[in-house]
């Protein structure tokens, strides 16, 4: 069974590499495929040979090494933007403003000298008094002085640009390096492809359903293992119906992950952002899945939309996790706590590693949960617990994570980068107290960029209601990550 799952996973990965990644890098897809497949091959080989749980060092070590190697090989063969078959429709604003001038400008349809007067007429002096225009290979940068509200300035100048130049350019409004707002005109590749009769098909329901079915299978098999049945033994062969015992875990976990991604997807659709369907990532071992994701293929219009799309996923996933976790805990068993309890030890979970988990556990189990006692989690409780962990990971205020987008929308990109760096260092310090967070901290430091993609109008600030929601999201992260204080532990008799 595992052998066939590995083959299916390999075929899916190779298909995605050939379909998407070859547009971005010259590195042979078979080489990237070997690197990506190495961790599951190593894990499955260990499980078959030794029949025991995979050591965490081997699991994360192989994952980290192969991730670094994949990134090195990918960057080694990366194709320059001007040579890519289908340029990304999402706009990297910082690259547009700082890219070197040795790229051929005619590839990017710059404004002709005769058109500069038309461009200047798009900036009324009472709205944005333009000082100078800079021509860069990937953008035209207009610097000046803002004389009205950021929102009204962007809307009026956007209308003027569209009236003069049609859909040739995407207009971006962001803070410059000196803190003053600037406008950038970036070539609209999406419109150019649409005019050429090559619209990109974003929704691939066949692929989404295939990945959904594969992930349901892998999580169900992992769920049978969690329920005490080794699916590699002859017991399953004699009675295949035993696999169904893994469904409570599988359906619970996939419901949480699916609702999380649908929160992003539906909110993006509300703001008319082009996005793919949610795709699950199957994994035959460990949790049964590496999660789910969507890809946004058009720029986010403003910080309000960036905030709403980013916060919708974690909040939706958290709301889905809570009832499953409470029900699962109510059907779990209280056991004696071993001397060295791990954060993810589902056979003897120490709820005191998290303020929120402690409070929910006490609510569900009442007086049964006494000091020095742990919880042998029901499969549904494991799924709910993982949903809380996923929420916390996504709410970390770092770069491309949902939390990074949230603080960016609240405070602006520069301040968000400072907050992100501070959060990474604080988590690293916390890992000295709770060693379970060390791998999490290293992941954020090594693999998550501090900068994320700005919105088209990245200057207009959020309203007070969204600022409050953002603070609630940060507070939720804190009570998930921080351990239960001794004073509160004694008060609750946990």
């Amino acid at each position: 069974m595992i052998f066939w799952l590995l083959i299916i996973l390999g075929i899916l990965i190779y298909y995605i590499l050939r379909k998407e990644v070859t547009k971005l890098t010259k590195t042979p897809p078979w080489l990237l495929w070997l690197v990506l497949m190495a961790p599951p091959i190593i894990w499955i080989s260990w499980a078959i040979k030794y029949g025991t749980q995979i050591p965490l060092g081997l699991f994360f070590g192989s994952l980290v090494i192969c991730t670094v190697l994949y990134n090195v090989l990918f960057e080694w063969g990366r194709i320059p933007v001007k040579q890519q078959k289908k340029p990304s429709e999402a706009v990297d604003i910082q690259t547009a403003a700082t890219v070197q001038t040795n790229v051929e400008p005619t590839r990017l349809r710059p404004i002709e000298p005769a058109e500069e007067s038309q461009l200047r007429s798009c900036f009324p002096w009472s709205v944005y008094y333009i000082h100078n225009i800079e021509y860069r290979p990937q953008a035209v940068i207009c610097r000046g002085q803002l004389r009205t509200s950021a929102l009204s300035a962007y809307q009026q100048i956007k209308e003027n640009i569209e009236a003069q130049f049609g859909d040739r350019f995407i207009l971006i409004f962001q803070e410059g390096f000196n803190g003053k707002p600037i406008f950038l005109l970036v070539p609209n590749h999406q419109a150019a492809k649409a005019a050429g009769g090559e619209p990109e098909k974003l929704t691939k329901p066949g692929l989404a359903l295939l990945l959904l079915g594969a992930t349901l299978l892998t999580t169900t098999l992992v769920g049978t293992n969690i329920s005490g049945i080794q699916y590699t033994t002859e017991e399953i062969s004699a009675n295949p119906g035993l696999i169904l015992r893994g469904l409570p875990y599988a359906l619970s976990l996939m419901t949480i992950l699916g609702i999380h991604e649908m929160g992003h997807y539906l909110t993006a659709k509300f703001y008319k952002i082009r996005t793919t369907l949610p795709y699950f990532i199957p994994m035959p071992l460990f949790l049964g899945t590496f999660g789910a994701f969507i890809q946004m293929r058009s720029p986010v219009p403003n910080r309000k939309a960036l905030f709403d799309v980013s916060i919708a996923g974690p909040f939706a996933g958290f709301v889905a996790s809570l009832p499953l976790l409470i029900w699962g805990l109510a059907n779990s068993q209280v056991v004696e706590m071993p001397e060295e309890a791990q954060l993810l030890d589902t056979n003897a979970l120490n709820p005191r590693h998290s303020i929120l988990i402690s409070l929910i556990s006490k609510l569900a189990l009442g007086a049964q949960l006494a000091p020095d006692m742990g919880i042998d989690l029901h499969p549904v409780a494991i799924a709910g617990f993982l949903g809380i962990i996923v929420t916390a990971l996504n709410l970390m205020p770092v770069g491309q994570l949902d939390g990074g987008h949230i603080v960016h929308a609240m405070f602006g990109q520069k301040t968000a980068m400072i907050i992100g760096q501070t959060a990474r260092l604080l988590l690293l310090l916390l890992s000295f107290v709770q060693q379970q967070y060390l791998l999490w901290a290293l992941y954020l430091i090594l693999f998550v960029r501090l900068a994320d993609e700005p919105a088209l109008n990245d200057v207009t600030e959020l309203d007070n209601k969204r600022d409050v929601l953002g603070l609630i999201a940060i507070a939720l992260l804190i009570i998930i990550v921080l351990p239960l204080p001794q004073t509160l532990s004694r008060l609750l008799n946990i």
Side-chain angles (χ1 to χ4, degrees):
M1 178 65 74
I2 296 180
F3 175 75
W4 288 109
L5 287 174
L6 187 62
I7 290 178
I8 293 172
L9 180 64
I11 292 173
L12 288 174
I13 290 176
Y14 192 75
Y15 171 80
I16 294 172
L17 288 173
R18 286 298 300 268
K19 191 75 174 177
E20 302 293 340
V21 179
T22 51
K23 303 171 187 174
L24 306 175
T25 181
K26 295 179 180 178
T27 305
W30 62 265
L31 183 58
L32 296 174
W33 180 83
L34 285 176
V35 174
L36 288 177
M37 290 300 296
I41 291 174
I42 292 171
W43 303 334
I44 290 174
S45 300
W46 175 279
I48 292 175
K49 183 174 181 179
Y50 297 103
T52 58
Q53 187 175 5
I54 302 170
L56 287 179
L58 177 64
F59 180 85
F60 287 106
S62 59
L63 191 61
V64 169
I65 291 172
C66 289
T67 302
V68 172
L69 182 57
Y70 176 86
N71 286 325
V72 170
L73 292 173
F74 183 92
E75 294 296 333
W76 172 66
R78 180 185 282 277
I79 301 172
V81 174
K82 65 174 183 176
Q83 298 177 9
Q84 291 178 11
K85 297 177 183 177
K86 290 188 177 182
S88 172
E89 297 156 14
V91 182
D92 188 338
I93 315 303
Q94 295 298 331
T95 301
T98 60
V99 68
Q100 297 297 320
T101 58
N102 57 2
V103 182
E104 182 176 304
T106 56
R107 295 281 296 175
L108 299 169
R109 301 173 63 190
I111 292 177
E112 300 294 336
E115 295 178 308
E116 183 170 320
S117 60
Q118 292 178 259
L119 177 60
R120 288 184 177 274
S121 68
C122 296
F123 295 85
W125 68 269
S126 61
V127 176
Y128 187 83
Y129 185 74
I130 195 164
H131 293 160
N132 67 300
I133 299 175
E134 300 178 18
Y135 295 95
R136 299 289 179 89
Q138 290 188 339
V140 178
I141 305 175
C142 303
R143 303 183 187 276
Q145 182 179 356
L146 183 65
R147 293 190 166 184
T148 185
S149 69
L151 180 60
S152 61
Y154 180 79
Q155 289 175 341
Q156 183 171 347
I157 293 173
K158 182 174 183 290
E159 291 174 0
N160 295 343
I161 293 291
E162 289 174 350
Q164 292 289 342
F165 300 100
D167 59 359
R168 278 176 57 185
F169 299 99
I170 296 174
L171 183 67
I172 298 121
F173 190 32
Q174 69 173 83
E175 288 187 358
F177 294 113
N178 59 0
K180 295 183 178 180
I182 61 174
F183 283 91
L184 300 95
L185 278 73
V186 179
N188 188 352
H189 299 300
Q190 179 182 336
K193 285 194 294 184
E198 299 180 6
E200 182 183 6
K201 185 179 180 181
L202 290 182
T203 57
K204 299 177 181 178
L207 178 61
L209 288 174
L210 181 61
L211 291 172
L212 176 67
T215 307
L216 178 60
L217 180 58
T218 55
T219 51
T220 300
L221 291 174
V222 170
T224 62
N225 211 356
I226 290 174
S227 64
I229 301 171
Q230 296 292 329
Y231 59 81
T232 56
T233 64
E234 297 179 355
E235 190 175 359
I236 291 292
S237 300
N239 186 5
L242 293 175
I243 293 179
L244 298 179
R245 294 188 183 179
L247 282 177
Y249 166 81
L251 294 177
S252 299
L253 182 59
M254 291 188 66
T255 297
I256 293 169
L257 297 176
I259 290 177
H260 178 115
E261 293 306 323
M262 287 303 295
H264 290 312
Y265 178 80
L266 294 176
T267 310
K269 284 294 185 183
F270 175 80
Y271 284 104
K272 297 179 173 59
I273 300 171
R274 300 178 72 243
T275 182
T276 66
L277 291 170
Y279 295 124
F280 284 87
I281 307 174
M283 180 64 228
L285 296 174
F286 197 47
L287 304 177
T289 177
F290 274 142
F293 69 96
I294 63 169
Q295 288 183 321
M296 292 190 294
R297 297 295 181 84
S298 63
V300 179
N302 48 54
R303 281 162 62 172
K304 173 184 172 183
L306 178 66
F307 180 89
D308 290 352
V309 172
S310 301
I311 204 169
F315 273 18
F318 177 72
V319 170
S321 300
L322 272 182
L324 292 172
L325 178 60
I326 293 172
W327 186 91
L329 285 171
N331 289 273
S332 300
Q333 301 294 321
V334 175
V335 296
E336 292 186 4
M337 181 65 63
E339 292 183 3
E340 297 183 0
Q342 300 295 320
L343 177 64
L344 296 177
D345 185 359
T346 57
N347 294 320
L349 178 74
N350 184 356
R352 302 157 197 85
H353 285 310
S354 164
I355 297 174
L356 180 65
I357 297 298
S358 298
L359 296 176
I360 295 175
S361 299
K362 191 64 176 179
L363 174 66
L365 295 170
Q368 297 181 61
L369 187 61
D372 301 324
M373 300 296 286
I375 307 171
D376 184 4
L377 293 179
H378 185 278
V380 173
I382 295 176
F385 176 69
L386 292 175
I388 299 297
I389 297 297
V390 168
T391 298
L393 177 60
N394 280 279
L395 285 177
M396 287 298 298
V398 181
Q400 299 289 335
L401 299 176
D402 293 333
H405 296 316
I406 290 169
V407 294
H408 173 180
M410 293 174 64
F411 305 110
Q413 189 177 44
K414 290 184 179 179
T415 304
M417 292 177 67
I418 297 172
I419 293 173
Q421 183 66 8
T422 304
R424 296 199 299 190
L425 295 175
L426 288 176
L427 188 63
L428 185 61
L429 292 175
L430 180 62
S431 67
F432 290 103
V433 179
Q434 299 218 91
Q435 296 181 359
Q436 296 85 353
Y437 290 123
L438 179 60
L439 289 172
W440 194 352
L442 292 177
Y443 167 75
L444 294 179
I445 292 172
L446 296 176
F447 301 115
V448 180
R449 293 191 308 162
L450 282 177
D452 65 338
E453 300 288 344
L456 294 182
N457 177 1
D458 208 46
V459 177
T460 302
E461 298 180 351
L462 297 180
D463 52 42
N464 292 335
K465 179 181 69 174
R466 286 178 172 82
D467 284 334
V468 171
L469 286 176
L471 294 175
I472 292 173
I474 295 172
L476 177 61
L477 168 66
I478 291 173
I479 64 173
I480 293 175
V481 171
L482 290 185
L484 185 69
Q486 289 293 331
T487 304
L488 190 56
S489 177
R490 288 192 294 269
L491 180 64
L492 297 174
N493 193 30
I494 300 180

